[in-house]
Amino acid sequence: MLRAFLKKGDVISGAVLAALGVFIITQARSWDYYTLDGPGPGFFPFWYGVAMVVLSLLLVLNAARADTDGDSKADWPATGRAMTVWLAFAVSVGLMDFLGFLISFALLAFFLVAVVFRRPFTTAAVVAVASALAFHLIFPVALSVSLPTGPFGF
Amino acid sequence: MEIASGLLHGFAVALQPGNIIWCFVGCLLGTIVGILPGLGPAATIALLLPLTFKMDPAGGIIMLAGIYYGAKYGGSTTSILLNIPGESSSVVTCLDGYQMARKGRAGAALGIAAIASFVAGTVGVIGLTLVAPPVAAFALSFSSPEYFALMCLGLALVVLLSGTSLLKGLLSLLLGLWLTSIGTDLFTAQSRFIFGQATLLGGIDFMVVAIGVFAIGEVLSSVEAGEEAKVLPVPRGFRNLLPNAQELKACRFAFLNGSITGFLVGCLPGGGATISSFIAYGIEKAVSKHPEQFGKGAPEGVAAPEGANNADTGGALVPLLTLGIPSGGSTAIMLSALVLWGVKPGPLMMQESPDVFWGLVASMYIGNVVLLILNLPLVPLFAQILRLPVYVLFPVIFGISIVGAYGASGRMFDLGLLVGFGLLGYAMSKLKYPSAPLILGFVLGDAMERALRQSLMMSQGDLLTLVERPISAIMLSLALVILLIPLFGWFNRLRLRAITENG
């Protein structure tokens, strides 16, 4: 099961990296490869771009050649769980520009505890409020570390 | 004599009250992190790095190093009590440690792990004290071609030992090289890969990459696993933590083996504690009169890998401090920290920053004693940390990550990047791309490009300069051999066994 997923993953990630390699090479070619003083800004990126294309194509070839055991799937529920957490993190970071750290972080913590870990709402609320307040008191208040602020000044 | 006076100076620095406190704080945090599964030392050092920006370099590096080796001490606790390694370097400890615990010898297993860690950790620091000065003196003759070759060799070793697929290791390294090129070229002021974003002119902040790939990536991977494990009870009382005379006798050779193996493997870039603990366990089993006991609760099977794991620290700091070449994720972050404080690790560090160099070395002697005290009588207390629910831990890690990434620059843009690198770290672990080469490529990329371009300037474009100088020729040939190794079947099987048995 894992092997089939990795094979598919290898082909996709190899293709993505090959595309990145091509992008790096085209960008590098638009800068000086060699100047009067020596190698220019395009020199080093050009060569690691070439290496990236070659190695990622090898990866794709290797993966395509390897045998697979039957048609199997990756552990999608587990991946879904991780992606939900990542999405929640991304949304809370996006909200930070408008709501500030304190509120966005409390929302993130509440979501993680209540939805991802399926704890009672009261537990989630306690964890969210306590952790957000603790962060606020430790970093901006006690250590003067700046954090994103919202319309309420925190 | 130079070493003795340097070390004396180091103790004068390390014994300043402030630095003793930082050493203690580092060791304590390291132990806690080592015990918590799902948060490794590299992630912790990355998370706490912003807090050290305002500290003086000696105190800062003493604390970061404390986290680094403290986590290795703490890692054995979960291996023994839960059969879950807190860090990858404690995987081997599970084999016999957990079996000892199941037989009711959990206290003795924890005690042996702490004693082995102390003995071997101290031997490792003695090794660092004695070996670093001659290595630095030798490296004084290095010029750009030698540095370029050295970095190639170091990166090749890291790629070789970091994962089962050499191709993926190399690709991860190249990705790191690309990420570090983003920004302004220092030679010509040409902007590269900035996608029209003026914010990227200064390059991507190292913190954002390290926290994203290590901390967020690790949390997302742990979320997948979900369930919490059951802890075996830790016996209370100091006496129950002491191994009996028979167990100690069985471990005599293991202490020595772990110390020497750990230090020597640690000196190699890419060697790392995971590999050294595996090798020490292998040696111990090979020379044992009763190898059939291994895996069933042999005390030597705990002492050898735990010793190697900790002696490795001293070894790993040799290339970091004398050559400026980190050997893994944690030391790569420590290198960036030193550079941020304006300290340049390399052959001249001992002369230019004696306070930082010798202060750090001396603090590690103290740190090992601190850890022995923390780990022997206080282990039952630390084991309580394992009862901290993950649903409390994960939001806290996210919070610290945000503070770490935003605190350094104060830019929302960096938080956006953090989200992206978190996803990258998760995808890499899911697809079995090792993350250590990426971080090393990111940290060394600039220096590597500079060394290559300077070499070619010196030789007026003649690439042969890299192989005409004997030291660089030897190092480049070694790097090439290392990358060709997987083509030889028998060696590759050995390499894969070493890596897979280590998780």
Side-chain angles (χ1 to χ4, degrees), chain B residues 319-405:
Chain B
L320 175 72
L321 299 178
T322 61
L323 305 169
I325 306 285
S327 53
S330 306
T331 40
I333 301 171
M334 283 160 72
L335 172 69
S336 318
L338 287 168
V339 173
L340 280 170
W341 292 316
V343 176
K344 196 168 173 290
L348 289 172
M349 187 182 170
M350 259 174 258
Q351 279 100 48
E352 287 172 353
S353 318
D355 283 10
V356 181
F357 181 89
W358 288 110
L360 169 63
V361 173
S363 80
M364 289 173 65
Y365 287 95
I366 302 167
N368 271 297
V369 178
V370 170
L371 282 168
L372 186 69
I373 298 169
L374 281 179
N375 277 269
L376 268 183
L378 297 181
V379 148
L381 193 72
F382 282 122
Q384 299 304 317
I385 297 172
L386 291 171
R387 299 184 198 285
L388 181 74
V390 278
Y391 63 80
V392 175
L393 182 65
F394 284 174
V396 172
I397 297 177
F398 275 118
I400 301 176
S401 302
I402 294 170
V403 173

Side-chain angles (χ1 to χ4, degrees), chain A residues 9-10 13 20 24 31 34 37 39-41 44 48 59 62 78-79 81-82 86 97 105 113 117 119 135 146 148, chain B residues 167-168 178 181 185 190 192 223-224 226 391 394-396 399-400 406 412 419 426 430-431 433 449 453 457 461:
Chain A
D10 282 2
S13 63
L20 176 64
I24 291 172
W31 307 318
Y34 221 88
D37 298 327
F44 196 55
Y48 67 67
L59 183 73
N62 274 351
T79 310
R81 214 168 128 89
W86 177 77
D97 228 359
F105 177 73
V113 180
F117 290 99
R119 302 288 143 171
F135 269 103
S146 70
Chain B
L167 273 178
K168 289 183 176 175
W178 173 62
S181 312
D185 172 37
Q190 165 80 51
R192 298 190 291 191
V223 166
E224 273 200 345
Y391 63 80
F394 284 174
V396 172
I400 301 176
Y406 184 85
M412 279 307 292
V419 172
Y426 172 67
K430 192 89 187 144
L431 295 168
Y433 281 80
E449 179 176 7
R453 285 165 75 175
M457 281 178 193

Side-chain angles (χ1 to χ4, degrees), chain B residues 131-445:
Chain B
V131 170
V135 173
F138 176 65
L140 274 177
S141 63
F142 285 12
S143 180
S144 301
E146 281 81 13
Y147 269 110
F148 177 73
L150 181 68
M151 283 184 255
C152 288
L153 176 60
L155 290 173
L157 271 167
V158 171
V159 167
L160 177 77
L161 296 171
S162 58
T164 45
S165 163
L166 205 65
L167 273 178
K168 289 183 176 175
L170 282 168
L171 284 167
S172 164
L173 166 71
L174 292 174
L175 198 58
L177 290 182
W178 173 62
L179 288 171
T180 199
S181 312
I182 293 174
T184 309
D185 172 37
L186 289 179
F187 284 77
T188 58
Q190 165 80 51
S191 59
R192 298 190 291 191
F193 307 113
I194 60 164
F195 304 98
Q197 297 276 345
T199 342
L200 283 175
L201 278 173
I204 296 178
D205 195 340
F206 170 77
M207 300 292 311
V208 176
V209 183
I211 296 179
V213 172
F214 281 117
I216 307 281
E218 270 177 40
V219 170
L220 293 177
S221 301
S222 320
V223 166
E224 273 200 345
E227 293 313 305
E228 290 150 64
K230 251 197 150 69
V231 193
L232 289 175
V234 190
R236 288 183 192 279
F238 183 58
R239 202 179 293 167
N240 291 327
L241 282 168
L242 292 180
N244 59 35
Q246 200 190 348
E247 284 163 334
L248 271 182
K249 206 177 147 201
C251 292
R252 275 178 314 180
F253 176 73
F255 291 146
L256 186 72
N257 163 20
S259 307
I260 297 173
T261 312
F263 179 75
L264 292 180
V265 177
C267 285
L268 300 174
T274 314
I275 304 286
S276 63
S277 59
F278 167 75
I279 296 179
Y281 186 82
I283 294 178
E284 200 59 41
K285 194 173 169 183
V287 300
S288 170
K289 285 186 192 129
H290 44 82
E292 73 287 350
Q293 296 282 321
F294 281 75
K296 293 177 189 155
E300 314 85 293
V302 175
E306 270 312 302
N309 177 9
N310 287 278
D312 173 88
T313 311
L317 290 182
V318 173
L320 175 72
L321 299 178
T322 61
L323 305 169
I325 306 285
S327 53
S330 306
T331 40
I333 301 171
M334 283 160 72
L335 172 69
S336 318
L338 287 168
V339 173
L340 280 170
W341 292 316
V343 176
K344 196 168 173 290
L348 289 172
M349 187 182 170
M350 259 174 258
Q351 279 100 48
E352 287 172 353
S353 318
D355 283 10
V356 181
F357 181 89
W358 288 110
L360 169 63
V361 173
S363 80
M364 289 173 65
Y365 287 95
I366 302 167
N368 271 297
V369 178
V370 170
L371 282 168
L372 186 69
I373 298 169
L374 281 179
N375 277 269
L376 268 183
L378 297 181
V379 148
L381 193 72
F382 282 122
Q384 299 304 317
I385 297 172
L386 291 171
R387 299 184 198 285
L388 181 74
V390 278
Y391 63 80
V392 175
L393 182 65
F394 284 174
V396 172
I397 297 177
F398 275 118
I400 301 176
S401 302
I402 294 170
V403 173
Y406 184 85
S409 65
R411 292 189 309 214
M412 279 307 292
F413 183 75
D414 282 350
L415 286 184
L417 286 178
L418 179 72
V419 172
F421 282 114
L423 185 64
L424 177 70
Y426 172 67
M428 285 176 70
S429 92
K430 192 89 187 144
L431 295 168
K432 302 253 182 286
Y433 281 80
S435 52
L438 182 142
I439 293 292
L440 251 74
F442 189 82
V443 170
L444 290 181

